[in-house]
């Protein structure tokens, strides 16, 4: 039962209780008056005077002063003098008699007879009823007044509560309009304050959630390194272009930051992020001022830029500006290139997937044209392999001309050991003398089955370099692909070459990626054994990322392992890294395997790794890669000798 109904019931109960009390009080008062009148009748001085002996005369005498309901006089000697008037039991049924009837009987002996009377109470009952009704009107009036006042108060209360409910409903709908505190008075004032406090608190929390959601959206749809849109936003853009609609044209540029892998490997991932941020800055500077331009980072090293309402004949200028920005950035860095650009036109409602394929092909073609080059695919075509075809021709041309040059990066020995070796980094160039991106050349060579031939010219070029430089001493490390290592014919060819040049073979260390050797550990073991048989040595690079057991040392037994660069990063503060590296060093030393740490970028990392007793250190902090030529080596040795 609600409060309103409870109060109404309480008021009604109080009203009934007051009515009952008023009735009882009035009845008691009427009874007292009746008793008083009876006493007056009984003690009346009239009884001391001579009274008529005849009944009727006696009635007339007494009725002048008293009202009788019943009168009976019985003479003791003469029955003719008897007289009876009225009824002993009243027959009236009026409300006053029913409620306030009082029985006042008296029997009195007289000189010659007996008198029995019953005084009437109609006047007393009528007066009592009138007084009771007067009280009842007041009680009822009070009840009605209180009911009306309570109803008004409840109406105001209901309005305030309804207003509070609406305010709470608006909060549920995330509406935070200010509330009118004047609606909450008296006992509802704390409710108004509580709702206002709740509104302010929810508003603040909602704003915080919105800011947090906006931050999450930015993180989800904005690349934190370049501040460009992410791949999901790029996909949305492609979907929007693919939908039929108002005829609209534009250009899409695909940009590939080809040096990311090299920068990550040699300088660390922080430097890789800086490189990507710089590429993004170049894009912004070159294309600033173009309205409605949209840029996205669609993979680790790939960008896409949409330039609406521009046709191919107007694309030359922004492409040249972009290349100029890349060239300027390259001049201030140690990179052989920065990025390559492929551009294709698009139109609303076109095939977005083909657009991506053709743009990627255009980038592949640009990579064969020299550092930071661009290529425009003038017509939309279904020949998605056009870029691959250019690459195949370009790599075949590199193999035919043996168009390879070397950069060298020293490895610093530790613990007072002799020089470890110098790693040779292959660089390939086109027929125009422009360098091609090394990572793309190797990847495309594997795609077209040319990796063995490419590795052969690397090995032959290195052998020729050593043969032509008899004064050069020390060992050289050569990177060869695992695709070649896993082919028995290549291993046989290499073994035959080294068998005929054992003196030079003993100065070569063949670096092979750990993941590729793990894929075929039996062939890896055979390769190492065959190289040892002709005096060459083997190093496993990126060690620690694939093998899960130290059985590798016993089964493959390489001469060197080069720890993946991730173990060097922050090793001065990372106890887990130090423990793992120390364990590798301890196990490797028992197997006579030398451990080289790579990607050293800070002095603190160098000191930490020296304390772990590694055998060699490599990285930009130790020595940067630099071009390697016979002339430079001879000049350097002449200066040393002098």
């Amino acid at each position: 039962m609600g409060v309103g109904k409870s109060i109404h019931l309480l008021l009604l109960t109080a009203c009934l209780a007051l009515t009952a009390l008023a009735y009882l009080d009035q009845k008691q008062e009427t009874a007292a008056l009746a008793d008083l009148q009876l006493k007056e009748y009984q003690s009346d001085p009239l009884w001391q005077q001579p009274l008529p002996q005849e009944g009727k005369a006696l009635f007339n005498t007494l009725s002048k002063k008293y009202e009788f309901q019943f009168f009976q006089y019985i003479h003791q000697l003469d029955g003719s003098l008897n007289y009876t008037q009225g009824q002993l039991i009243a027959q009236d049924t009026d409300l006053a008699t029913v409620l306030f009837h009082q029985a006042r009987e008296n029997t009195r002996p007289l000189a010659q007879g007996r008198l029995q009377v019953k005084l009437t109470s109609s006047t007393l009952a009528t007066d009592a009823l009138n007084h009771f009704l007067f009280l009842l009107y007041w009680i009822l009036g009070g009840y009605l007044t209180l009911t009306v006042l309570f109803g008004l108060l409840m109406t105001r209360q209901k309005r305030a509560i309804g207003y509070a409910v609406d305010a709470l409903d608006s909060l549920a709908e995330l509406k935070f309009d200010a509330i009118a505190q004047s609606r909450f008075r008296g006992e509802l004032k704390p409710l108004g304050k509580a709702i206002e406090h709740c509104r302010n608190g929810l508003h603040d929390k909602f704003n915080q959630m919105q800011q947090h959601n906006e931050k999450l959206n930015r993180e989800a749809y904005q690349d934190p390194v370049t501040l460009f849109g992410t791949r999901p936003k790029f996909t949305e853009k492609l979907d929007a272009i693919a939908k039929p609609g108002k005829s609209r044209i534009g250009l899409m540029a695909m940009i590939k930051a080809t040096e990311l892998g090299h920068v990550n490997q040699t300088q660390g991932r922080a430097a890789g992020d800086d490189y990507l941020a710089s590429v993004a800055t170049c894009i912004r500077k070159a294309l600033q001022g173009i309205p409605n331009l949209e840029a996205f980072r669609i993979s680790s090293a790939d960008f896409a830029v949409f330039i609406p309402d521009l046709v191919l004949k107007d694309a030359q200028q922004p492409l040249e500006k972009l290349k100029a920005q890349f060239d300027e950035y390259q001049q201030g860095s140690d990179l052989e290139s920065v990025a390559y650009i492929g551009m294709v036109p698009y139109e609303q409602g076109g095939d977005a997937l083909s657009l991506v394929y053709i743009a990627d092909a255009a980038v592949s073609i640009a990579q064969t044209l020299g550092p930071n080059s661009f290529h425009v695919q003038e017509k939309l075509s279904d020949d998605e392999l056009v870029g691959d075809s250019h690459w195949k021709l370009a790599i075949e041309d590199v193999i035919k001309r043996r168009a390879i040059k070397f950069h060298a990066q020293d490895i610093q020995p530790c613990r007072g050991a002799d020089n470890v070796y110098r790693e040779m980094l292959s660089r390939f160039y086109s027929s125009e003398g422009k360098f091609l991106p090394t990572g793309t050349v190797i990847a495309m060579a594997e795609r077209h089955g040319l990796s063995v031939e490419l590795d052969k010219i690397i090995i032959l070029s290195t052998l020729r370099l050593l043969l032509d430089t008899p004064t050069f001493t020390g060992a050289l490390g050569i990177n060869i692909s695992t695709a070649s290592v896993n082919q028995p014919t290549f291993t046989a060819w290499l073994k035959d070459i080294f068998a005929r040049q054992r003196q030079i073979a003993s100065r070569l260390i063949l670096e092979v990626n750990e993941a590729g050797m793990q894929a075929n550990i039996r062939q890896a073991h055979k390769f190492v054994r065959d190289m040892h048989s002709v005096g060459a040595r083997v190093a496993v690079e990126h060690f620690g990322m694939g093998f899960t057991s130290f059985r590798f040392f016993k089964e493959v037994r390489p001469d060197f392992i080069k720890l993946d660069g991730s173990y060097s990063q922050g090793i001065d503060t990372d106890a887990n890294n130090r423990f793992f590296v120390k364990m590798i060093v301890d196990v490797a030393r028992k197997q006579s395997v030398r451990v080289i740490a790579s990607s050293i970028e800070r002095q603190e990392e160098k000191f930490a790794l020296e304390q772990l007793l590694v055998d060699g250190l490599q990285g930009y902090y130790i020595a940067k890669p630099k071009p390697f030529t016979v002339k430079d080596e001879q000049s350097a040795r002449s200066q040393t000798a002098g």
Side-chain angles (χ1 to χ4, degrees):
M1 183 182 294
V3 175
K5 291 183 179 180
S6 298
I7 296 295
H8 276 297
L9 181 60
L10 181 62
L11 286 175
L12 181 60
T13 303
C15 180
L16 294 174
L18 288 174
T19 301
L21 289 173
Y23 171 72
L24 293 175
D25 182 69
Q26 188 62 47
K27 194 168 184 179
Q28 288 177 359
E29 184 179 347
T30 303
L33 288 173
D35 291 341
L36 181 61
Q37 287 184 358
L38 181 61
K39 288 179 181 180
E40 288 178 355
Y41 168 78
Q42 291 174 343
S43 60
D44 195 319
L46 181 65
W47 301 114
Q48 304 300 324
Q49 300 175 8
L51 295 172
Q53 296 300 313
E54 194 266 329
K56 186 174 182 181
L58 182 62
F59 172 76
N60 291 333
T61 300
L62 294 175
S63 62
K64 293 178 181 179
K65 193 173 183 179
Y66 300 100
E67 293 182 3
F68 298 103
Q69 175 186 328
F70 176 74
F71 181 92
Q72 186 180 55
Y73 176 73
I74 300 175
H75 196 274
Q76 294 178 351
L77 300 176
D78 187 359
S80 62
L81 297 178
N82 295 343
Y83 184 76
T84 300
Q85 179 67 33
Q87 298 175 346
L88 184 62
I89 299 175
Q91 299 298 316
D92 297 334
T93 57
D94 59 283
L95 183 62
T97 302
V98 172
L99 294 178
F100 299 103
H101 174 72
Q102 298 294 325
R104 296 176 297 166
E105 299 181 12
N106 181 258
T107 302
R108 164 187 295 275
L110 296 179
Q112 295 182 0
R114 181 177 62 85
L115 177 64
Q116 180 181 3
V117 299
K118 190 173 186 180
L119 298 174
T120 183
S121 62
S122 59
T123 302
L124 286 175
T126 300
D127 292 342
L129 178 62
N130 291 334
H131 189 261
F132 174 69
L133 290 175
F134 176 76
L135 292 176
L136 188 61
Y137 291 150
W138 274 102
I139 292 172
L140 183 60
Y143 168 73
L144 293 176
T145 301
L146 290 175
T147 301
V148 171
L149 289 176
F150 177 73
L152 293 175
L153 289 174
M154 286 301 297
T155 300
R156 184 177 72 86
Q157 203 88 324
K158 286 180 179 179
R159 288 177 180 174
I161 293 174
Y163 182 75
V165 170
D166 292 339
L168 293 174
D169 286 341
S170 67
L171 291 180
E173 296 174 0
L174 301 181
K175 297 177 181 178
F176 302 101
D177 299 332
I179 63 173
Q181 289 293 333
S182 60
R183 295 287 192 96
F184 303 96
R185 298 175 182 174
E187 66 279 1
L188 293 181
K189 195 171 183 179
L191 176 61
K193 290 183 178 179
I195 293 176
E196 181 65 17
H197 178 72
C198 181
R199 184 189 72 84
N200 292 332
L202 287 176
H203 195 191
D204 293 341
K205 291 291 185 182
F206 181 73
N207 288 336
Q208 292 175 8
M209 289 178 62
Q210 278 190 319
Q211 293 173 2
H212 183 64
N213 287 337
E214 289 174 1
K215 182 180 178 182
L216 290 178
N217 285 334
R218 284 196 301 271
E219 292 177 354
Y221 296 113
Q222 185 182 63
D223 178 59
V225 176
T226 63
L227 302 183
F228 286 165
T230 56
R231 188 175 184 86
K233 297 297 289 184
F234 171 70
T235 303
E236 289 180 10
K237 178 66 177 179
L238 289 180
D239 291 340
I241 291 175
K243 293 179 180 178
K246 183 179 179 181
S247 179
R248 191 170 186 180
I249 61 172
L251 300 176
M252 185 185 80
M254 186 82 75
I255 302 168
K256 186 178 290 291
T258 53
E259 298 303 302
L260 178 61
H262 172 68
V263 174
N264 282 340
Q265 180 179 351
T266 57
Q267 303 179 47
R269 296 192 179 278
D273 289 344
D274 292 340
Y275 161 67
L276 290 174
S278 298
V279 171
T281 301
C282 291
I283 295 173
R284 289 190 183 91
K285 288 182 178 179
L287 304 180
Q288 63 181 347
I290 297 179
N292 302 319
L293 180 139
E294 296 179 86
F296 306 91
R297 182 185 176 192
I298 59 177
S299 68
S300 59
D302 293 332
F303 301 85
V305 179
F306 289 91
I307 308 175
D309 306 320
L310 200 68
V311 294
L312 281 177
K313 66 178 182 179
D314 300 323
Q316 193 70 20
Q317 185 178 4
L319 286 172
E320 289 178 352
K321 286 183 178 180
L322 187 53
K323 184 180 186 307
Q325 287 291 330
F326 289 157
D327 290 341
E328 181 180 348
Y329 172 50
Q330 181 184 350
Q331 291 173 5
S333 68
D334 296 324
L335 302 175
E336 295 178 355
S337 64
V338 175
Y340 296 84
I341 313 126
M343 181 166 283
V344 294
Y346 70 84
E347 58 183 352
Q348 191 69 37
D351 186 351
L353 191 59
S354 294
L355 182 69
V356 175
Y357 284 154
I358 296 167
D360 185 64
V363 173
S364 296
I365 295 172
Q367 290 178 272
T368 66
L369 304 178
N372 309 323
S373 295
F374 59 83
H375 176 74
V376 177
Q377 192 73 20
E378 295 187 4
K379 294 181 180 181
L380 293 176
S381 166
D382 291 331
D383 184 13
E384 294 95 5
L385 298 177
V386 62
D388 280 354
S389 299
H390 275 75
W391 268 114
K392 183 178 181 182
L393 294 174
I395 295 172
E396 288 175 345
D397 178 66
V398 166
I399 294 171
K400 180 180 179 181
R401 295 184 297 105
R402 294 192 179 182
I404 182 173
K405 295 182 179 180
F406 291 106
H407 280 49
Q409 185 177 26
D410 290 337
I411 298 175
Q412 176 182 311
C414 297
R415 299 188 292 130
D418 296 335
N419 289 338
V420 184
Y421 64 89
R422 181 182 300 182
E423 182 178 358
M424 304 294 283
L425 306 173
S426 303
R427 299 292 181 264
F428 310 98
Y429 57 92
S430 66
S431 56
E432 292 82 13
K434 298 178 179 180
F435 278 108
L436 302 174
T438 304
T440 306
V441 170
I442 294 173
M444 288 295 179
E446 291 186 1
R447 177 183 296 185
H448 293 289
L450 297 173
S451 57
V452 171
E453 298 301 322
L454 194 64
D455 284 337
K456 285 182 178 181
I457 68 164
I458 293 173
I459 292 169
L460 292 174
S461 297
T462 305
L463 291 174
R464 175 54 57 189
L465 187 65
L466 292 175
L467 288 172
D468 292 344
T469 317
T471 57
F472 173 70
T473 58
L476 298 178
I478 311 171
N479 286 278
I480 59 175
S481 69
T482 53
S484 299
V485 169
N486 289 330
Q487 293 192 28
T489 54
F490 173 81
T491 303
W493 174 85
L494 188 58
K495 182 178 179 181
D496 180 63
I497 291 290
F498 285 169
R500 287 184 277 123
Q501 299 287 346
R502 285 181 178 271
Q503 185 176 358
I504 294 178
S506 64
R507 297 170 57 189
L508 295 179
I509 294 91
L510 304 174
E511 293 193 4
V512 188
N513 190 288
E514 177 204 23
M517 297 186 77
Q518 183 186 13
N520 191 344
I521 195 169
R522 180 177 297 179
Q523 177 61 27
H525 184 202
K526 182 178 184 304
F527 174 79
V528 172
R529 189 174 64 249
D530 287 346
M531 294 304 101
H532 285 171
S533 68
V534 291
R537 289 171 290 177
V538 178
V540 179
E541 60 177 353
H542 295 295
F543 184 83
M545 301 303 292
F547 284 96
T548 58
S549 171
F550 288 104
R551 288 172 50 200
F552 172 76
F553 292 113
K554 296 180 178 179
E555 295 183 4
V556 178
R557 299 294 296 275
D559 302 277
F560 300 89
I561 56 172
K562 296 179 71 174
L563 297 176
D564 186 79
S566 60
Y567 290 107
S568 300
Q569 294 175 15
I571 194 169
D572 52 313
T573 59
D574 191 334
N576 291 330
N577 258 5
R578 289 198 300 273
F579 175 78
F580 187 77
V581 172
K582 184 178 185 304
M583 184 167 55
I584 290 177
V585 171
D586 291 343
V587 175
R589 184 166 299 163
K590 293 177 182 179
Q591 302 296 326
S592 300
V593 178
R594 303 173 74 180
V595 180
I596 298 172
S598 63
S599 300
I600 312 299
E601 299 179 25
R602 297 183 297 113
Q603 186 179 31
E604 293 82 1
E605 295 171 351
K606 175 179 179 292
F607 288 163
L609 287 162
E610 285 177 336
Q611 292 174 357
L612 293 173
L613 304 179
V614 299
D615 297 285
L617 301 170
Q618 183 181 20
Y620 263 50
Y621 183 78
I622 306 301
K624 295 182 179 181
K626 58 183 179 180
F628 182 94
T629 63
V630 174
K631 182 178 180 181
D632 290 339
E633 286 299 315
Q634 290 175 341
S635 175
R637 294 193 176 281
S638 298
Q639 293 176 4
T640 303

